[in-house]
Amino acid sequence: VQLQASGGGSVQAGDPLRLSCVASGLPFGTYALAWFRQASGEEREYVAAISRRGTAQYFANFVKGRFAISRDDAKNTMYLQMNSLRPKDTAVYYCAATRSGNTLYYSRETEYDIWGQGTLVTVSS
């Protein structure tokens, strides 16, 4: 069972970037998925989540209107489209998966039992 995040890089403020998270070894469609991020010296924080089958999406307040989360179950892949990036968005971004259907807890790290290795996003001003 593995999640592989990719797509990170160095961009300028205002640029877009799309992250991908490819899953292997798990029944992808039965998992809800999320992105978290961790800036240097700070705790990991919730960014966005998407329900099983992609029927609902959830976002942290600081990314609403700028980021979009989606999934392609045929490709076992989740995406995070990030627009209007800011220097404060600089962080390592992690994808995570959970079998839980309890949407109330999707922002909690403890809800997720499968994690990817992270991909670094650096936004310069």
Side-chain angles (χ1 to χ4, degrees):
V1 176
Q2 186 177 6
L3 297 177
Q4 183 76 32
S6 64
S10 297
V11 298
Q12 296 290 316
D15 285 351
L17 198 63
R18 190 177 81 159
L19 305 183
S20 300
C21 176
V22 180
S24 58
L26 72 162
F28 189 74
T30 66
Y31 280 77
L33 306 163
W35 290 96
F36 288 77
R37 71 185 188 184
Q38 186 170 22
S40 179
E42 299 186 16
E43 294 187 352
R44 189 156 54 186
E45 64 179 353
Y46 163 75
V47 175
I50 188 166
S51 64
R52 292 174 284 188
R53 295 185 296 278
T55 51
Q57 300 87 43
Y58 309 90
F59 298 93
N61 287 336
F62 58 80
V63 301
K64 283 182 179 178
R66 299 192 298 128
F67 292 8
I69 188 171
S70 62
R71 63 189 294 163
D72 185 340
D73 287 0
K75 296 182 179 180
N76 283 3
T77 302
M78 171 180 62
Y79 303 98
L80 184 68
Q81 177 66 45
M82 304 185 292
N83 299 319
S84 302
L85 282 165
R86 305 166 180 169
K88 285 187 176 182
D89 295 319
T90 295
V92 177
Y93 284 71
Y94 298 90
C95 54
T98 176
R99 294 293 298 270
S100 171
N102 193 336
T103 60
L104 288 176
Y105 301 137
Y106 278 175
S107 64
R108 298 183 181 183
E109 283 190 56
T110 53
E111 196 71 1
Y112 299 87
D113 50 9
I114 303 172
W115 290 83
Q117 87 291 358
T119 185
L120 176 63
V121 173
T122 303
V123 185
S124 56
S125 58

